[in-house]
Amino acid sequence: MRKTVLFIAISLDGYIADEKGNVNWLEGHSAKEETLDTYSVFIKNIDSVIMGWNTYHQIVTELSPEKWIYSDLTTYVITHRDLPSANKIRFTEKNPCKLVEELKQKQGKNIWICGGADIVQQLIAANAIDKYYISVIPIILGNGIQLFGKSSRQIPLKLLSTQTYNGITELIYQRR
């Protein structure tokens, strides 16, 4: 059965973006230090990605305006905007939990939850994330968009692995 996987980076104090929504701080100690390409290993087991409008908009306007970087994946953008779907990008108003539930019933590889915080928090509240790939970036932002909001439930996790490179600590957990 397909798994729902959160693969995301956070600051040491738990933010996925600064207070203006910027992610230009997503780096290790130095560009000269060695980094690991864990994304390439991760993405081999993914065929669908879910993101919110803000994440999508940031990708197409700032991070990769010339080329859609997830062209090999079917992308679901959760938005209230009435936009036509094209190629492998599908705009939808579906509740993220309902969308995940529907996708898990279909054949395919794992489903990547890319962001944003509101979508992640809804899925966490529904205990709908099977694995958590969290990269902790060596910075304290002090303010911004929190990954984990307040929750009325505890979700026990099992640590599967850790690795550290260039000041970044990658943690992989699965739901117990």
Side-chain angles (χ1 to χ4, degrees):
M1 183 176 200
R2 301 173 83 177
K3 301 284 184 202
T4 307
V5 183
L6 175 65
F7 184 96
I8 202 160
I10 62 171
S11 64
L12 183 61
D13 51 349
Y15 297 102
I16 60 171
D18 69 17
E19 56 193 6
K20 294 181 182 175
N22 295 320
V23 293
N24 56 354
W25 49 269
L26 290 173
E27 57 188 32
H29 290 153
S30 167
K32 295 177 184 175
E33 286 191 43
E34 184 178 345
T35 61
L36 297 177
D37 183 11
T38 56
Y39 173 80
S40 294
V41 174
F42 164 78
I43 205 70
K44 288 178 184 178
N45 295 313
I46 301 294
D47 66 4
S48 303
V49 59
I50 296 174
M51 65 183 67
W53 169 259
N54 290 340
T55 302
Y56 169 79
H57 188 257
Q58 186 174 46
I59 292 168
V60 298
T61 61
E62 296 172 40
L63 304 176
S64 183
E66 304 300 318
K67 178 184 173 198
W68 181 243
I69 54 176
Y70 304 127
S71 61
D72 293 340
L73 308 174
T74 301
T75 301
Y76 297 88
V77 180
I78 298 175
T79 180
H80 296 294
R81 291 169 175 80
D82 186 20
L83 299 168
S85 297
N87 296 326
K88 295 178 91 175
I89 301 174
R90 301 191 178 138
F91 297 97
T92 181
E93 288 190 59
K94 284 188 182 174
N95 174 290
C97 300
K98 178 87 170 136
L99 177 59
V100 163
E101 186 179 302
E102 289 174 11
L103 291 175
K104 282 184 134 183
Q105 300 306 313
K106 297 178 181 179
Q107 290 292 323
K109 296 180 180 180
N110 292 337
I111 304 157
W112 173 21
I113 308 305
C114 180
D118 184 53
I119 290 168
V120 171
Q121 290 169 16
Q122 288 180 60
L123 292 167
I124 289 172
N127 201 16
I129 297 176
D130 299 303
K131 279 184 134 176
Y132 294 77
Y133 287 70
I134 309 286
S135 294
V136 181
I137 307 300
I139 189 169
I140 296 173
L141 293 178
N143 200 354
I145 300 170
Q146 286 187 319
L147 175 60
F148 303 109
K150 293 183 180 187
S151 178
S152 60
R153 78 179 312 160
Q154 294 181 1
I155 299 176
L157 304 173
K158 178 182 179 183
L159 181 64
L160 299 178
S161 69
T162 64
Q163 61 183 351
T164 304
Y165 58 89
N166 196 9
I168 298 170
T169 301
E170 290 189 343
L171 307 163
I172 301 175
Y173 293 95
Q174 78 180 16
R175 189 176 52 190
R176 285 193 272 156

